[in-house]
Each structure stands twice: as structure tokens, then as C-alpha cells.
Amino acid sequence: MPGRLRDAWATGPVGPTDGILVLLGMFGGSDGLNVVVPYTNSLYYTQHGALAIPANQVLQLNGSVGLHPNLGYLKTLYDRGEVAVVQGVGYPNPDLSHFSSMAYWMYGKSGAGTPSTGWIGRWLDGLAGDELFRAASVGQGLPLHLIGDNKRGIAIPYWGLGFGGGDSDYDQWMYNALRAYSSTSAGRGAWHDAIAGIVKGVVDVGQQVSPVFSRDLPASDLEKKMTVAARLINADLGLRVVDTGFDGFDTHSSQPAGLNDLMTDLDSALRAFFTTLDDRFRSRVTIMTYSEFGRTSYDNDSQGTDHGTVNNHFVIGQGVKGGLYGAQASLAGLQQWDRMVFNTDFRSMYASVLDGWMGGGSSTVLGGSYPNLGLFKQAPGLGVGTG
């Protein structure tokens, strides 16, 4: 790192048995029935109509469900026992608004009122210290679920940092001068001091992560984001949570081609992530997908589906106890505008990850107790050297 900037900004290396969580959002509401396909259920073919994946194309997981045909790499991970497929995921009294439902998923807590914190942010609140690098979002802003009452994550643009990431002599002189503004109070009030602290933070983050962008990145946005996520973990800055995601799942029309492309992107991004990730972190990282809701079981008149209430999600990693969890939502008795009924509360997925991988505290973070799904077969870091 540049010698003129002498402070230590990072949290310090992640402990050899500390779990690292990568959150992967599928924004817009993915069609869970076409991602994890109930290929032996005749009602699926009746209700999904021309959108249904033909049974002979499904990547079979067992005698009743399989993966979308474009998820070949994910199927390879499943066959290794490294993918938990959590079925029938939703929550009580579902909201069909993108904004409200995603806020609920990010909040991760039941109760009235407007969410102002997120489940990862509240987990950060429970950690000792106030280090800059604990959680990061690779994207265009800081989402609600990385904001706590007292702590928050950081946002890192996936195309790289301009201001703060330079390495010329002139850049370093400027950064040193700007960082100095925050060394003591200027006596001009709290707002002045807050802005000075923010500028220092921007410079600190830029200097720490600039090596991540020094080599070429893939052209695809999601591959790029997941490659950046893996490089950030490899840099061992102290990150315990890395969040990113991609959109395009609000498929009210022209769903077949659109979902095919999205599944290809997802599969390629997972391959890019694990190809980039250092072996020393392979047993310390778990990926979990999330989305604001699923889609309707019936297709509409525009080759699409509408906002639903149930979805299927993935938890992926070397420590995961692979297999099927929960059950597919029932399609029996549904009419054109009916929605499926969930059977796995999404906060059970959160609780299972928090308690099984991140060190515990789910009842405090989530404001209640939720069944642990038993998603993990081993503790983080088991059997792998720390390098």
C-alpha cells in the first residue's frame, strides 16, 4: 500500500474459523417455479403453460424437482453436496409491492412501522470495535440490510473507484491533506466534522480496494460484481459480509428468453466467483440468494408471470449440507389469480445462516426465534490452511 498513508484502515485478517457470507440479490422477484422446477407435477405444466420448462430439459435433483437447464455449474456444485435448495420460502401476510416486500426482506424483523435498520446492520451492531471493513455492498449504493442502529457497511462501485483510488504523488498529497481535516475537530460544528470524517472514509476505502480493480474484469455486470466480491475476500481486509445482486426478474412479459439469459448470467457469475476465490477461503465462504418475492403459478396473457408470494433459494458453499430443504408450495386448487402459500419463513433461512455460519445471535438480530434449518455440515474453515 502507498507509504505516505500510514494509518491502518482495515479490520485485520478474517479469523481462520470466521464465516464469510456473500448475499446475492435477484431483484424483481424471480420465478422460483422455473428456477427449481417441479417437473413431475402436472399442475405446474397446466398453470405455467407455455412458460413451463420441459421435463426432459430439467437438471434433475431427485424424482420430483430439478434446476433450470442453464444452471449447469450450480448443478455440479449440488452434486458435490455444496448447495442447499431452500423451497417454499416466503413470509406471513405477503406484500406484492417491490419496495415494501424488499424492505421487509432487508429489515428481517416482524413488526409495524417503517424499517430503518437491516438484519446485517443489526448483526454488525453486535460486533466489538468500529472497523471500516466488516460488510460491503458491491454496487451503486448502500442497501438497507447493511445499515444498523450504530454501524453500517460500506458501498464499493463494481466499476472501480475514481476519487480515493489514485496512486500518483499528486493524489497522495491531496488525500493526505483531506484526511487531515478529520484528525481533530475544526470547531465549525458537527456537520463540518461529519463531512470531514466521510471524506476520510472515502479515501481510506479507495486506497484499500484499488488493487482489486488493477486487473481486468469480466464484461458481464454480474460476473464483474462476483469477481470483485471474490477479490475483496481474497484481499483479507476483514470483510465478513459482501452483498451484491442483479435485476431483470420482474418478468410480466417475454419471460422465457429473459429468464434464460438471467440463469446463464447467474451460473457464469457463480463459476467466476469460485474460480477467483483463493483456496484458503473456500471453506469459509457461503453464498445465499434472496429476492423480494416469487411469481404466480399461472402465466398471464403476455408470456409472463405476475407478483407472487413464494420462492426457492440457494445456500452455497463447502460447509453447506447439500440437499433439499422445506417443500415446494402446493399448486392444488389454485385459480388464475391465486397465490401460493409459503411453508418456510425467510427468517428461518437468516437464522440458520447467522447461527450456523456467522457466530450466532439470530434471536437478537431478528427479534424472535425461528427454526434452524440445519444448513451446515461443518464449521467455517474446517480442514483448510489459512495461508
Side-chain angles (χ1 to χ4, degrees):
M1 300 308 299
R4 290 191 181 91
L5 296 173
R6 301 183 183 278
D7 289 354
W9 310 294
T11 303
V14 176
T17 58
D18 284 341
I20 300 169
L21 177 63
V22 176
L23 297 172
L24 179 54
M26 302 164 70
F27 302 125
S30 64
D31 183 1
L33 289 174
N34 272 10
V35 176
V36 180
V37 186
Y39 68 94
T40 60
N41 189 335
S42 61
L43 292 176
Y44 161 69
Y45 289 98
T46 299
Q47 295 175 19
H48 241 43
L51 305 182
I53 307 294
N56 62 359
Q57 296 180 17
V58 172
L59 305 177
Q60 297 181 15
L61 301 181
N62 65 6
S64 60
V65 297
L67 296 177
H68 187 283
N70 291 11
L71 293 175
Y73 179 72
L74 184 62
K75 175 62 161 58
T76 299
L77 296 178
Y78 184 89
D79 291 342
R80 291 183 197 166
E82 297 183 4
V83 179
V85 180
V86 186
Q87 305 173 101
V89 180
Y91 60 88
N93 303 313
D95 194 308
L96 299 182
S97 158
H98 289 289
F99 308 103
S100 298
S101 189
M102 182 52 74
Y104 199 51
W105 271 76
M106 290 183 171
Y107 184 46
K109 204 173 182 181
S110 60
T114 302
S116 59
T117 63
W119 69 287
I120 292 296
R122 295 191 299 276
W123 178 78
L124 292 173
D125 286 338
L127 299 183
D130 194 24
E131 291 86 355
L132 191 60
F133 288 88
R134 288 285 199 184
S137 181
V138 179
Q140 294 178 301
L142 189 66
L144 175 66
H145 52 289
L146 268 61
I147 298 173
D149 286 311
N150 304 304
K151 299 177 184 177
R152 62 178 57 203
I154 58 175
I156 299 172
Y158 63 92
W159 53 85
L161 291 102
F163 180 78
D167 59 4
S168 71
D169 284 346
Y170 293 103
D171 286 333
Q172 301 304 308
W173 295 331
M174 176 177 63
Y175 297 155
N176 261 339
L178 290 170
R179 293 178 78 250
Y181 284 124
S182 67
S183 59
T184 60
S185 175
R188 296 183 176 178
W191 282 109
H192 181 280
D193 292 346
I195 295 299
I198 289 169
V199 171
K200 176 183 180 294
V202 170
V203 172
D204 290 352
V205 171
Q207 289 292 292
Q208 280 290 80
V209 306
S210 59
V212 166
F213 299 97
S214 63
R215 290 169 288 133
D216 289 341
L217 288 162
S220 160
D221 278 356
L222 186 60
E223 278 191 68
K224 186 179 298 182
K225 291 174 182 177
M226 291 297 282
T227 300
V228 168
R231 290 183 184 178
L232 285 169
I233 294 169
N234 292 345
D236 209 3
L237 303 173
L239 286 169
R240 296 289 306 281
V241 179
V242 182
D243 170 75
T244 193
F246 63 133
D247 55 21
F249 287 94
D250 194 21
T251 50
H252 291 279
S253 62
S254 305
Q255 178 173 306
L259 187 63
N260 286 346
D261 290 344
L262 289 165
M263 292 297 98
T264 298
D265 288 346
L266 173 60
D267 208 54
S268 299
L270 291 172
R271 183 187 296 274
F273 176 85
F274 285 114
T275 299
T276 304
L277 188 69
D278 284 353
D279 285 346
R280 63 194 175 110
F281 292 105
R282 188 69 173 81
S283 69
R284 288 191 270 171
V285 171
T286 291
I287 297 174
M288 187 186 78
T289 64
Y290 66 97
S291 186
E292 61 263 48
F293 40 59
R295 315 297 297 181
T296 51
S297 65
Y298 279 85
D299 65 338
N300 57 30
D301 295 330
S302 302
Q303 290 193 317
T305 49
D306 299 321
H307 298 181
T309 52
V310 177
N311 215 329
N312 301 306
H313 286 290
F314 303 115
V315 180
I316 308 163
Q318 197 174 77
V320 169
K321 185 193 297 181
L324 299 169
Y325 293 80
Q328 288 280 327
S330 175
L331 304 180
L334 295 181
Q335 302 300 314
Q336 175 72 47
W337 304 114
D338 291 342
R339 264 74 180 184
M340 295 175 280
V341 177
F342 82 99
N343 56 55
T344 303
D345 194 302
F346 75 87
R347 287 156 298 196
S348 281
M349 196 163 64
Y350 288 0
S352 302
V353 169
L354 288 170
D355 293 339
W357 197 249
M358 301 301 288
S362 71
S363 60
T364 299
V365 170
L366 304 177
S369 297
Y370 296 90
N372 191 316
L373 302 176
L375 298 175
F376 299 97
K377 63 190 175 190
Q378 63 188 46
L382 186 64
V384 173
T386 58

